[in-house]
Amino acid sequence: MNKMNIPALRGEIGGTIYYTSNLKFSQIANLVKRIDNELHTSLSLKDEIQRALSDNYIKIKQYILTQSDHFFNALVLAVYDGQPEWTEIRYELNDEMFSDVGILHFNGNEKIFPVDGQHRVEGIKAALKENPDLSDETIAVILIGHKSTPEGMEKSRRIFSTLNRYAKPVRLGDIIALDEDDIVAITTRIQLEENSLFEGARIKSSNSKSIPASDQIAFTTLMTLYDCHLELFKLYKFNGNVSANKLKDYQRIRPEENEISNFNAYLAEFWNKMVLYFPELSQYLKDKSVSPAARYRNSENGGSLLFRPVALLPFVSAIMKIGEKYNIEEILRNISKINRCISSPLWEKIIWNPATRKMIMRNQSVVKGILIHMYDSELLSSKDKEVLYSKYALIHNITELQAKDRINKLTL
């Protein structure tokens, strides 16, 4: 490491002095090393820290290379050895004195490792190897001191674990509301603004996928709507044949505007056809009362499959699976013949508990399997059928042979 001077802001929290600055990508690549023996001297513990560095950095590399307006939050970097020095520059502006602004001097013997941001560091390094023109881009860094003593190692470990323990994954609701790369989030927002089925209180926004019993207005929840659109996107883009990882990778990069527009049109057509073929949806749209969903979601007869998030998602997912072979409008026309009252014998004990008059949440795969089996059993593999018969038998306390016979008699 060469001698280096960087402008920085000095701060203190919980007894830890830190400096906030910017480093170029080239500096990150040249100066920041992987964690080695800075947190542990035990070989097995050092290996455990290294194993935490997953292939996620490759996705970060791709994000940097493919997304022109890429952005990251600050790296937390620990500095040890050498003798970094701080020169404070005090200045006055409009009779107000500003301090804690200055220059941090490195003598060239310092070593730096990431306490938070290992994957971002490795992603930056990998991206630079493929595109050296990125070298002058900058990223915010927070620099803290580290000492190679038992006490110093303990302190750095505590910071490391605290930052990772309390880091929260981004909530799905936030992704839907804010993500500008995920085509499903983008088009869901458009549908919320343009489709009358989703306007106002007709979509319940909450941290849960369930709708409170007191809500007699909402059609479904925001998270369920997004998940339904994700199922539609799998068929639209990949004809249903896509791995979870490939799908997530695709959602990380904003597609061309015409693809967004085309998929949004696909969603609009799907929901328009749903309203056309399912009377409860068209009646719900026409209902101007204060409780338009009460007829279709209640504790008397349970209401319609479509107004229960736990049933709507497997219902749409089943349609998309069938759509790999059949025309969507044809599917909707035919599947609309199925009894959708959740207290009917078809759905009792699967998603509706007749004794408690409450929903059963754990059998979504059975709902999907029954719908597909009723439409075309050949769309299910032998293993899928075995699992379906087994779960159905357990639900109804019958043998698997009886379950198979009963399911085979279910037709449109």
Side-chain angles (χ1 to χ4, degrees):
M1 176 177 177
N2 298 322
K3 290 183 178 181
M4 180 175 65
N5 299 318
I6 61 172
L9 296 174
R10 183 183 186 277
E12 183 174 356
I13 183 172
T16 297
I17 295 174
Y18 64 93
Y19 301 89
T20 305
S21 187
N22 295 322
L23 289 180
K24 293 181 179 181
F25 277 15
S26 57
Q27 292 174 311
I28 295 294
N30 294 329
L31 303 178
V32 184
K33 311 302 180 186
R34 290 189 180 187
I35 297 174
D36 187 12
N37 59 356
E38 290 82 11
L39 300 184
H40 295 286
T41 56
S42 163
L43 178 60
S44 60
L45 291 174
K46 287 191 291 183
D47 288 345
E48 185 64 30
I49 294 292
Q50 289 297 340
R51 276 197 296 273
L53 186 62
S54 68
D55 287 344
N56 190 48
Y57 81 90
I58 297 175
K59 296 175 181 177
I60 292 176
K61 177 197 75 171
Q62 289 301 116
Y63 168 69
I64 294 171
L65 293 173
T66 58
Q67 188 64 270
S68 59
D69 58 349
H70 47 263
F71 186 84
F72 296 107
N73 54 346
L75 304 170
V76 180
L77 306 177
V79 182
Y80 69 109
D81 288 350
Q83 294 293 328
E85 294 182 359
W86 169 250
T87 299
E88 186 172 86
I89 303 172
R90 291 176 177 266
Y91 66 93
E92 185 177 342
L93 180 64
N94 297 329
D95 297 326
E96 185 176 358
M97 184 65 70
F98 292 87
S99 59
D100 295 325
V101 179
I103 304 295
L104 198 57
H105 308 274
F106 294 90
N107 64 17
N109 296 320
E110 293 82 4
K111 298 175 183 176
I112 304 176
F113 68 91
V115 176
D116 182 57
Q118 294 184 86
H119 291 89
R120 277 166 281 157
V121 167
E122 296 304 317
I124 287 170
K125 291 179 180 180
L128 269 179
K129 288 180 179 178
E130 294 193 23
N131 183 5
D133 291 340
L134 296 167
S135 61
D136 286 336
E137 292 201 2
T138 58
I139 185 170
V141 296
I142 299 173
L143 301 161
I144 60 174
H146 170 79
K147 293 182 179 179
S148 300
T149 62
E151 295 78 14
M153 295 172 76
E154 178 184 343
K155 183 171 184 176
S156 293
R157 285 197 301 270
R158 182 176 292 112
I159 294 173
F160 180 92
S161 63
T162 298
L163 289 171
N164 286 278
R165 177 185 299 164
Y166 296 111
K168 297 289 185 181
V170 180
R171 295 184 309 121
L172 178 57
D174 293 334
I175 291 174
I176 300 169
L178 300 170
D179 198 304
E180 287 294 344
D181 300 318
D182 177 4
I183 186 173
V184 181
I186 295 168
T187 49
T188 297
R189 290 198 298 272
I190 297 173
Q191 285 296 305
L192 288 169
E193 294 174 353
E194 297 181 351
N195 197 318
S196 58
L197 184 59
F198 310 134
E199 67 183 9
R202 287 175 176 164
I203 295 298
K204 183 71 175 179
S205 177
S206 70
N207 294 329
S208 170
K209 291 186 178 181
S210 61
I211 300 177
S214 59
D215 189 324
Q216 298 182 334
I217 300 175
F219 161 51
T220 193
T221 68
L222 178 61
M223 292 185 183
T224 300
L225 181 64
Y226 174 90
D227 286 342
C228 288
H229 288 172
L230 190 60
E231 293 299 307
L232 268 78
F233 184 68
K234 291 177 189 176
L235 179 66
Y236 169 83
K237 182 67 180 180
F238 304 101
N239 197 38
N241 185 25
V242 60
S243 68
N245 286 337
K246 183 178 179 180
L247 181 61
K248 286 180 180 178
D249 287 345
Y250 191 91
Q251 290 175 272
R252 288 189 175 97
I253 302 172
R254 185 183 179 98
E256 297 293 331
E257 293 305 312
N258 67 321
E259 182 166 358
I260 294 173
S261 178
N262 290 341
F263 179 57
N264 183 61
Y266 182 83
L267 292 180
E269 182 179 8
F270 173 80
W271 290 113
N272 288 341
K273 296 298 183 185
M274 285 283 287
V275 172
L276 176 65
Y277 289 109
F278 295 90
E280 61 264 48
L281 292 181
S282 59
Q283 291 164 9
Y284 168 74
L285 278 173
K286 295 174 184 176
D287 193 332
K288 304 303 180 182
S289 71
V290 296
S291 54
R295 295 170 56 189
Y296 312 111
R297 187 175 56 251
N298 56 67
S299 60
E300 298 303 318
N301 63 7
S304 167
L305 280 174
L306 304 185
F307 283 77
R308 298 287 188 166
V310 70
L312 177 62
L313 179 57
F315 190 87
V316 171
S317 184
I319 292 171
M320 294 303 104
K321 177 62 180 177
I322 300 167
E324 294 176 17
K325 182 177 178 180
Y326 297 95
N327 173 268
I328 292 294
E329 184 165 3
E330 176 188 353
I331 298 167
L332 295 177
R333 185 187 303 113
N334 291 329
I335 212 166
S336 66
K337 301 171 187 176
I338 290 175
N339 191 329
R340 296 183 298 283
C341 180
I342 61 176
S343 60
S344 67
L346 177 59
W347 304 115
E348 265 193 5
K349 298 183 180 180
I350 296 175
I351 55 173
W352 180 251
N353 186 324
T356 63
R357 293 185 177 183
K358 291 184 178 181
M359 296 295 294
I360 299 169
M361 312 300 287
R362 61 182 177 272
N363 295 323
Q364 294 185 62
S365 63
V366 179
V367 175
K368 178 180 177 180
I370 287 175
L371 291 168
I372 297 171
H373 197 287
M374 290 176 72
Y375 202 98
D376 184 348
S377 62
E378 295 305 309
L379 289 169
L380 295 173
S381 66
S382 297
K383 184 177 180 181
D384 289 337
K385 291 177 184 177
E386 289 176 8
V387 171
L388 176 61
Y389 301 149
S390 175
K391 289 183 177 179
Y392 190 91
L394 188 62
I395 290 168
H396 290 282
N397 195 26
I398 57 179
T399 66
E400 289 189 25
L401 188 61
Q402 289 173 316
K404 179 180 180 180
D405 181 62
R406 189 181 293 185
I407 290 175
N408 282 332
K409 290 179 180 177
L410 297 175
T411 56
L412 291 175

